[in-house]
């Protein structure tokens, strides 16, 4: 029976001691420890959410970069296409111009040649005419050295003239 | 293979632990044998006396072998306060010997069992004298040792929390942090809910107070070997504190549930007394559970050791010691389990008292 009869002295000492222990530990141990634990947990949670946000930001940036890259690539392609077009245009233009120029020059040359040719021809004609006249003169001179022949011709010519 | 690899090997640690256990048990056996060596030849060994000497309280602190520290006796009598050393009443109170009578300022005293009684001139117990014993007994001393250990441990942990703010725990801090978090996340929060913060200091103090004293009780020599948490006075105080806390934190739903429950009126004469008994019976169960568990464990261990002296042969140790080792392992589990259950049920009862009902 003594075992289950609480001893008054021990009850009093336990009450006092436990109250002191509760006060001391509560004030100097549990409060700072639980505070530190809470702080750390909040810090870890914060860090995790920050990391999550950073990850999202990262993926956003990456996708942005990608779209920028795509855009840049498209722009480059466009520029290249345009440049090619311009180049072709220029080549075509140049060709055409050269063609035209060539044609013009050929035309000019032809005209010149024609001119020269006609000049030359005229010259030749003149010379031919002069030569023929000279030859004719010389032939006639030779022909008409005797009088008889002259009279014959006159008479023949006279016969031919029909009035 | 060098020494460090032996120390680190996985088999070595359990071996070391069991060897330590064995050593502890053998040591307690030795101290018993020294104590009882002289007595054994005179009269038959009485295990009941040995067991109850340990389970109960004492006015002296047994350290090891024959070394005994006397403790102060503080008496509050109807004539005034008396303080003297327990040495004056004789440290080795044995049956058959005439108890030493000490003449104090107001009365003369003698020791009967653990009780200090006032005696008259003839050496008979004075029935008229009112003597209240507030001595620093073995249990009070052991409680203070436990408290000092707790204060040292937790002040060092607190300082490491301040020093290593925001960093990972280390050393003792890392050892006890999971326990603190366990009490918070698995005991307080699921049972009490959002209002748990207010009760954390109480729950943690109860948990570690019971735990350290349970563990000290398992150490068979100084500074352990007491039966503090197996003492009804200690568990009574703890459960009364719990009783007060529960009823002071009870909200209107808690009181409404006790005095005007939602039942037909004719059931009130039955239900209201039952609920009122329930207020007391919940902490009462806590008190008995802790007391009975720890006391029973100590009784079993001591009985097993006593077998050696009952059979008067050292060979009995080959049977007793393995059983004691086994029991000590179970007691180690029980030490944690009872601290956990007491805290768990306390928070459960607080949770029931602060619960908001939405009918």
């Amino acid at each position: 029976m003594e075992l289950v009869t609480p001893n008054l002295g021990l009850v009093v000492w336990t009450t006092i001691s436990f109250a002191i222990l509760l006060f001391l530990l509560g004030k100097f141990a549990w409060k700072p420890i639980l505070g530190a634990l809470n702080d750390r947990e909040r810090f870890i949670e914060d860090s995790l959410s920050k990391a999550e946000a950073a990850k999202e930001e990262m993926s956003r940036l990456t996708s942005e970069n990608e779209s920028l890259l795509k855009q840049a690539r498209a722009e480059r392609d466009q520029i290249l296409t345009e440049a090619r077009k311009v180049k072709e245009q220029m080549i075509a233009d140049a060709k055409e111009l050269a063609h035209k120029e060539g044609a013009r020059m050929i035309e000019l040359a032809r005209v010149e040649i024609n001119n020269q040719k006609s000049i030359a021809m005229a010259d030749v004609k003149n010379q031919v005419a002069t030569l023929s006249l000279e030859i004719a003169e010389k032939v006639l001179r030779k022909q008409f050295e005797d009088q008889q022949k002259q009279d014959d011709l006159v008479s023949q010519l006279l016969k031919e003239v029909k009035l | 293979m060098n020494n460090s690899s032996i120390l680190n090997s996985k088999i070595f640690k359990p071996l070391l632990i069991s060897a330590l256990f064995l050593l502890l048990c053998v040591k307690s056996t030795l101290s018993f044998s020294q104590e009882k060596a002289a007595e054994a030849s005179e009269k038959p060994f009485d295990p009941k006396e040995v067991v109850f000497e340990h389970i109960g309280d004492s006015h002296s602190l047994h350290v090891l072998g024959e070394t005994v520290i006397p403790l102060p006796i503080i008496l509050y009598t109807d004539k005034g306060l008396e303080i003297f050393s327990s040495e004056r009443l004789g440290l080795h109170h044995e049956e058959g010997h005439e108890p030493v009578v000490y003449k104090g300022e107001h009365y003369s005293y003698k020791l009967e069992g653990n009780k200090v009684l006032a005696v008259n001139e003839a050496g008979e117990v004075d029935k008229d004298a009112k003597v209240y014993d507030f001595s620093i007994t073995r249990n009070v001393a052991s409680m203070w040792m436990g408290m000092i250990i707790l204060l040292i441990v937790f002040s060092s942990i607190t300082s490491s929390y301040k020093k290593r703010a925001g960093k990972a725990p280390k050393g003792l801090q890392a050892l006890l942090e999971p326990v603190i978090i366990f009490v918070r996340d698995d005991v307080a929060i699921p049972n009490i809910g959002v209002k748990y913060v207010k009760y954390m200091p109480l729950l943690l103090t109860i948990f570690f107070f019971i735990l350290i004293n349970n563990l000290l009780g398992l150490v068979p020599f100084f500074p352990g070997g007491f039966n503090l948490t197996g003492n009804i006075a200690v568990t009574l105080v703890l459960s009364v504190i719990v009783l007060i806390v529960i009823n002071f934190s009870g909200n209107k739903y808690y009181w409404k549930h006790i005095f005007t429950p939602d039942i037909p009126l004719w059931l009130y004469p039955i239900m209201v007394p039952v609920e009122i008994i329930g207020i007391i019976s919940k902490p009462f169960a806590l008190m008995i559970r802790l007391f009975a568990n720890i006391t029973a464990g100590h009784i079993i261990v001591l009985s097993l050791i006593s077998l050696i002296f009952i059979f008067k042969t050292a060979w009995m140790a080959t049977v007793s010691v393995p059983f004691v080792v086994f029991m000590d392992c179970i007691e180690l589990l029980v030490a944690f389990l009872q601290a956990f259950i007491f805290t768990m049920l306390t928070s459960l009862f607080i949770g029931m008292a602060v619960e908001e009902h939405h009918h």
Side-chain angles (χ1 to χ4, degrees):
Chain A
M1 205 50 215
E2 200 199 313
L3 203 61
V4 289
T5 315
N7 179 301
L8 179 68
L10 192 53
V11 167
V12 170
W13 283 118
T14 311
T15 312
I16 294 169
S17 309
F18 190 81
I20 293 170
L21 185 71
L22 183 62
F23 171 75
L24 287 179
L25 286 181
K27 196 166 164 59
F28 299 111
W30 307 135
K31 211 175 149 196
I33 289 174
L34 290 172
L37 282 177
N38 268 340
D39 284 353
R40 196 168 65 207
E41 270 158 22
R42 209 170 307 128
F43 173 73
I44 289 170
E45 221 160 274
D46 269 12
S47 304
L48 282 178
S49 59
K50 266 184 205 158
E52 193 63 36
K55 215 165 95 183
E56 257 166 46
E57 179 73 15
M58 194 72 189
S59 69
R60 199 181 61 76
L61 278 177
T62 311
S63 67
E64 207 177 271
N65 275 355
E66 225 154 80
S67 72
L68 270 178
L69 206 67
K70 211 182 262 176
Q71 209 179 324
R73 206 169 284 152
E75 219 162 294
R76 187 200 65 183
D77 284 353
Q78 200 191 337
I79 289 169
L80 276 178
T81 324
E82 259 168 41
R84 199 172 291 136
K85 222 181 268 173
V86 166
K87 182 192 81 178
E88 271 159 21
Q89 183 70 45
M90 274 169 79
I91 290 172
D93 280 1
K95 259 185 191 166
E96 202 180 341
L97 204 66
H99 227 264
K100 268 186 195 160
E101 189 66 20
R104 198 177 61 84
M105 279 172 82
I106 289 169
E107 192 60 37
L108 271 179
R110 191 179 291 138
V111 169
E112 187 66 18
I113 288 167
N114 281 348
N115 283 350
Q116 293 295 328
K117 201 167 98 185
S118 52
I119 290 168
M121 286 300 268
D123 212 24
V124 169
K125 270 182 190 162
N126 275 343
Q127 282 201 359
V128 169
T130 321
L131 271 176
S132 338
L133 279 176
E134 273 174 20
I135 291 169
E137 197 188 293
K138 276 178 186 160
V139 169
L140 285 174
R141 219 165 269 198
K142 208 78 170 178
Q143 200 96 35
F144 291 106
E145 270 173 355
D146 78 273
Q147 197 63 43
Q148 182 62 41
K149 274 191 182 174
Q150 283 180 21
D151 292 344
D152 282 351
L153 187 62
V154 171
S155 61
Q156 193 185 343
L157 282 173
L158 282 174
K159 259 193 260 170
E160 271 169 27
V161 177
K162 284 167 188 162
L163 295 170
Chain B
M1 202 193 230
N2 57 12
N3 283 336
S4 62
S5 68
I6 296 173
L7 278 171
N8 287 333
S9 71
K10 279 184 180 170
I11 317 152
F12 184 75
K13 277 179 189 169
L15 266 179
L16 185 77
I17 290 163
S18 33
L20 263 174
F21 261 120
L22 211 67
L23 196 72
L24 298 187
C25 299
V26 169
K27 264 209 158 146
S28 60
T29 320
L30 283 178
S31 63
F32 268 109
S33 61
Q34 283 167 1
E35 254 175 59
K36 299 294 164 193
E39 212 177 327
S41 55
E42 293 163 15
K43 55 173 188 159
F45 174 71
D46 182 12
K48 195 178 161 222
E49 187 197 330
V50 172
V51 169
F52 277 83
E53 196 273 326
H54 168 84
I55 296 299
D57 212 341
S58 164
H59 285 287
S60 56
L61 200 59
H62 177 240
V63 181
L64 198 71
E66 293 291 302
T67 322
V68 174
I69 300 172
L71 292 167
I73 288 179
I74 302 165
L75 299 173
Y76 182 77
T77 67
D78 47 0
K79 284 181 186 168
L81 205 63
E82 288 255 31
I83 300 171
F84 55 92
S85 165
S86 70
E87 219 169 1
R88 308 281 170 84
L89 294 173
L91 286 176
H92 297 288
H93 173 70
E94 281 166 14
E95 270 176 50
H97 292 257
E98 197 57 40
V100 182
V101 175
Y102 167 71
K103 190 163 169 23
E105 275 178 58
H106 309 299
Y107 293 104
S108 295
Y109 307 97
K110 73 167 183 179
L111 210 54
E112 201 180 280
N114 284 321
K115 281 205 179 87
V116 180
L117 298 169
V119 290
N120 55 22
E121 304 294 318
E124 288 158 357
V125 178
D126 192 347
K127 299 274 187 201
D128 297 329
K130 288 194 174 65
V131 177
Y132 302 101
D133 189 354
F134 293 106
S135 306
I136 311 299
T137 58
R138 187 171 63 176
N139 278 336
V140 177
S142 81
M143 179 163 61
W144 287 353
M145 280 192 280
M147 279 170 60
I148 289 166
I149 293 171
L150 282 185
L151 288 173
I152 291 170
V153 165
F154 284 106
S155 62
S156 95
I157 288 182
T158 307
S159 70
S160 51
Y161 269 105
K162 281 177 184 157
K163 247 184 278 169
R164 301 172 49 79
K167 288 186 195 161
K170 208 177 161 190
L172 201 59
Q173 189 191 3
L175 179 73
L176 287 173
E177 188 183 294
V179 184
I180 295 170
I181 290 178
F182 170 75
V183 172
R184 189 191 63 181
D185 290 354
D186 294 315
V187 175
I189 293 176
N191 289 313
I192 301 176
V194 283
K195 293 173 188 162
Y196 79 97
V197 179
K198 203 165 64 174
Y199 302 101
M200 276 313 286
L202 179 76
L203 294 175
L204 284 169
T205 310
I206 285 181
F207 182 84
F208 283 104
F209 179 80
I210 295 175
L211 182 65
I212 191 75
N213 285 311
N214 282 351
L215 291 177
L216 279 181
L218 291 180
V219 181
F221 47 82
F222 190 81
F226 314 105
N227 184 32
L228 183 71
T229 40
N231 192 300
I232 196 86
V234 175
T235 59
L236 173 79
V237 171
L238 290 176
S239 52
V240 165
I241 290 169
V242 170
L243 174 79
I244 292 167
V245 170
I246 291 170
N247 289 294
F248 270 85
S249 44
N251 56 17
K252 60 179 175 181
Y253 301 106
Y254 172 74
W255 294 112
K256 183 182 173 294
H257 184 69
I258 290 168
F259 292 111
T260 57
D262 293 330
I263 49 165
L265 208 63
W266 59 272
L267 274 173
Y268 272 37
I270 307 166
M271 282 309 289
V272 173
V274 166
E275 290 288 350
I276 290 170
I277 291 168
I279 297 175
I280 306 293
S281 70
K282 281 185 241 169
F284 188 80
L286 285 182
M287 170 177 88
I288 297 298
R289 183 179 295 111
L290 183 59
F291 159 74
N293 269 286
I294 304 303
T295 301
H298 282 236
I299 289 176
I300 292 171
V301 170
L302 286 168
S303 307
L304 285 167
I305 294 291
S306 296
L307 280 180
I308 301 166
F309 301 97
I310 293 169
F311 285 95
K312 285 181 186 162
T313 163
W315 291 107
M316 198 57 211
T318 54
V319 181
S320 281
V321 171
F323 271 110
V324 169
V325 171
F326 175 67
M327 274 313 297
D328 271 337
C329 291
I330 289 180
E331 282 304 299
L332 199 60
L333 175 72
V334 168
F336 281 95
L337 200 65
Q338 288 306 320
F340 163 64
I341 288 176
F342 199 101
T343 322
M344 181 80 179
L345 289 176
T346 301
S347 53
L348 186 73
F349 297 150
I350 292 173
M352 280 158 75
V354 298
E355 195 181 5
E356 298 283 343
H357 291 267
H358 302 286
H359 290 295

